[in-house]
Amino acid sequence: MSPRRPSRGSGPSDVRFRVFVEGPSDGDLLGAWARRRSLRLSRALVESTVILGGRQPARAVQHLRELRETEPDARGLCVLDGDHVPLPEPAAEPGLAFFTWSRRHIESYLLVPDAIRRSLRLRNGDGRVERALREHLPRGEEELRRIDAKRLLDRNGSLARALPRAPAARRIARAMLPEEFHPEIHRLLDEIARGLGLEEPRARVEYRPGPDSTPRNGRGILS
């Protein structure tokens, strides 16, 4: 299957810029976060997203290389999970940059208690929720970097079993407030906005972890 090309004529964004992500869920989460920043940015990101079908940075290199045969000034940004699995570095390709999360999975950035609670539409004072989040959410950045957040948020995962119902990654992302975004999320959205030719202004938000160091308030497809 050949890549589905972003459509033209959807606005001022630079559609020659591609954002490569590992899978559809990664694109969904980035889109939800971008929408919190700007509807304009969210729409442009949808037009420019290419799904790699796994952690395959070499495919981003090859895709952009082929694209530059007809669009010499095409550029791209490849977004990768941390994963902590050594992979051979792909050959450098002009115009292609890489962004790697410091945490294991993009889902690790969803582990925000208040956002999880809002996504489930649960009361702040629900003791079951507080106990479940305190028991099952990691504490401290080092633990957040190591944890398998995909398994934790799975419908059969330990967090889902401890809560009245299972949290959904997409719903959590949509429930997050910009002040709850980890600085890496803001940094990535800034890079994407610049690449798309959208200098999106935003208020500077300080990421202030709580006492337990958990965050607090404050497509084309390649075959």
Side-chain angles (χ1 to χ4, degrees), residues 48-107:
S48 301
T49 298
V50 178
I51 298 170
L52 296 172
R55 196 174 193 274
Q56 304 184 75
R59 302 188 78 181
V61 172
Q62 182 61 31
H63 179 59
L64 189 64
R65 187 173 295 161
E66 293 173 357
L67 185 62
R68 288 170 70 89
E69 292 178 2
T70 54
E71 298 182 24
D73 56 349
R75 296 166 296 114
L77 177 65
C78 182
V79 183
L80 302 171
D81 283 343
D83 277 338
H84 305 291
V85 177
L87 288 175
E89 289 295 326
E93 179 66 17
L96 181 63
F98 289 88
F99 181 99
T100 303
W101 299 107
S102 66
R103 296 178 182 176
R104 185 174 178 180
H105 300 132
I106 188 174
E107 288 83 359

Side-chain angles (χ1 to χ4, degrees), residues 107-118:
E107 288 83 359
S108 303
Y109 297 86
L110 300 174
L111 302 181
V112 180
D114 288 341
I116 293 173
R117 187 182 298 106
R118 286 195 300 273

Side-chain angles (χ1 to χ4, degrees), residues 82-158:
D83 277 338
H84 305 291
V85 177
L87 288 175
E89 289 295 326
E93 179 66 17
L96 181 63
F98 289 88
F99 181 99
T100 303
W101 299 107
S102 66
R103 296 178 182 176
R104 185 174 178 180
H105 300 132
I106 188 174
E107 288 83 359
S108 303
Y109 297 86
L110 300 174
L111 302 181
V112 180
D114 288 341
I116 293 173
R117 187 182 298 106
R118 286 195 300 273
S119 76
L120 296 173
R121 299 182 179 179
L122 300 174
R123 292 183 296 105
N124 287 349
D126 191 319
R128 296 169 301 167
V129 176
E130 296 299 333
R131 286 192 296 274
L133 297 179
R134 187 166 54 247
E135 180 179 355
H136 295 283
L137 287 189
R139 299 184 182 187
E141 185 62 27
E142 286 306 311
E143 189 175 353
L144 281 164
R145 289 184 179 185
R146 293 192 303 268
I147 195 167
D148 188 337
K150 290 183 179 181
R151 180 176 297 181
L152 181 66
L153 292 172
D154 185 81
R155 66 179 59 187
N156 296 315
S158 57

